[in-house]
Amino acid sequence: MPLLQEKRSVTYAIVFGIWVEVFVYCVLHDQYLIRISPEHFTVYHPPLWGITDLTLLALAWAFRASIGPGLGLGLVALFLGRAGRRPKVAPTRMLKIVPWLLLATEAVGLAAGAWAWKTKQPLFPEDIYPDLTEPMLISQSIQLACYGTGLLVSLGFLAWIEKQRRKPEQAR
């Protein structure tokens, strides 16, 4: 018996559905971040596809940045939620949780950025900031907080999926 016997529509709904949610989040996130510190994208990131327009550059980086985390989380969620004989977690249940994870991630990031703006100090060790200008302090604090929080909430999401599959059918 294969590890995953699933319709393609279910597989695509989970994997690409989660990726789309992450992509939309990244687009919104990068659109305001590039306006706080354009240098974050133009000086401290390598050129991307020859794009110079800030809006398009943020969009392109959002696309690039969402692929690994979005598709990776989608694939792991697919296998944890659907593989094997235990009761399966419905794609819609998974997809309804992800926006809340993204909202929590962004809230922590914004709090980190607000702290850096208010104190004019790096929130994290100075050596992980490319420079200590105020825009870079804010944008890098937001980014680092979002990366860490995104990892934690993703692990929590995967733990939630695993817990759902262990519940008796009538308790779900």
Side-chain angles (χ1 to χ4, degrees), residues 61-143:
W61 273 108
F63 175 75
R64 186 169 175 197
S66 69
I67 291 172
L71 292 178
L73 183 60
L75 285 168
V76 175
L78 170 68
F79 281 96
L80 282 180
R82 307 291 296 183
R85 294 186 179 153
R86 292 184 294 157
K88 297 176 183 334
V89 179
T92 53
R93 287 192 73 204
M94 290 186 215
L95 295 174
K96 286 179 183 177
I97 299 288
V98 174
W100 294 103
L101 307 176
L102 299 170
L103 185 62
T105 298
E106 192 60 27
V108 172
L110 289 173
W115 187 91
W117 173 69
K118 181 97 171 138
T119 66
K120 312 285 190 263
Q121 298 292 316
L123 180 59
F124 301 102
E126 278 186 24
D127 58 337
I128 56 178
Y129 289 82
D131 70 49
L132 297 177
T133 62
E134 185 177 9
M136 188 54 67
L137 285 175
I138 295 167
S139 67
Q140 187 75 339
S141 294
I142 290 169
Q143 285 294 82

Side-chain angles (χ1 to χ4, degrees), residues 13 30 51 68 71 109 152 159 170:
D30 283 358
I51 299 170
L71 292 178
L152 293 176
Q170 59 273 51

